[in-house]
Structure formats: C-alpha cells, structure tokens
Amino acid sequence: MIQHKEELGQLITLEQGKPIKEAINKVGYGASFIEFFAEEARRVYGALNFYHRHLQLVDVVGAVTPWNFPLAMITRKVGPALACGCTVVIKPSEFTPLTALAAAELALQSGIPPVCLVHLH
C-alpha cells in the first residue's frame, strides 16, 4: 500500500472528493493497521496447528465499510481477521467500491490467497 500511496490517494480523491494530500495520508493510516496486525499475527497461538505446522482458516468475517473512510476501515477490519486466519467477505459502500477493489488487488499481489478475500457488490 505504501508503494502505491500516490495511486491509492488519487483513487480516493476521484472516488470520494477528499483533498489529495489528505487522501495520501489516509493511505498511510490504513497501511498502519495492516502493519500492526501483521506484527500481532506472530502472537496468534490458538489458531496454529503445530502438528501440520501451518495456519488453518478459523472462520469467515463479514466487513461492511463506510463511504467516508473507504481504505482505513477496510484495513482496520481485514487486518485482524487475516492475522487470525479468517477469510474476509468485504461489502464496501456503493459510493466508493473502487478503493476496496484496489486494496484487494494489492492484497493478492502481496501473496494473500484468493480464498481469503471475497468482494461483493
């Protein structure tokens, strides 16, 4: 997300009307949730299957996000869910769906399995 902060910021501005500098700052804010929960994932002991040595999916999380924080609220909800091994179904606002799609695409590019991310219109 940080590597694409200008593009994501422009998308937020085009989609929502937030000033570009504020939108780019919101990308950093959203990325901070992912960073925090990625670090916390090192301490998710209950979901680890030590016999098979891999993280098992725990459950499915539904994330409904508002139009006014299209990236930050997604990362705030998706970060802890993925850190715990949950699949996430995202329902973004119909006013700002492109930001959610861009975030999902970056998640896939970073190696998050497609089975973990589902986007609904």
Side-chain angles (χ1 to χ4, degrees), residues 29-103:
Y29 180 62
S32 72
F33 290 115
I34 298 298
E35 181 181 15
F36 176 81
F37 289 113
E39 289 297 322
E40 287 299 309
R42 298 174 189 224
R43 292 175 277 284
V44 179
Y45 304 113
L48 290 176
N49 180 331
F50 290 103
Y51 180 74
H52 294 290
R53 297 281 184 207
H54 68 280
L55 191 65
Q56 292 184 346
L57 294 178
V58 177
D59 214 340
V60 177
V61 171
V64 179
T65 60
W67 69 271
N68 57 339
F69 290 97
L71 186 64
M73 290 304 107
I74 287 175
T75 58
R76 192 174 188 174
K77 294 175 180 187
V78 170
L82 291 178
C84 292
C86 297
T87 293
V88 182
V89 177
I90 303 167
K91 170 57 178 99
S93 168
E94 60 273 11
F95 300 114
T96 55
L98 299 178
T99 302
L101 288 171

Side-chain angles (χ1 to χ4, degrees), residues 5 8 15 17 26 30 44 46-47 53 62 68 81 93 101-103 115 121:
K5 67 182 175 183
L8 287 170
E15 193 171 46
K26 293 298 178 191
V44 179
R53 297 281 184 207
N68 57 339
S93 168
L101 288 171
V115 70
H121 294 285

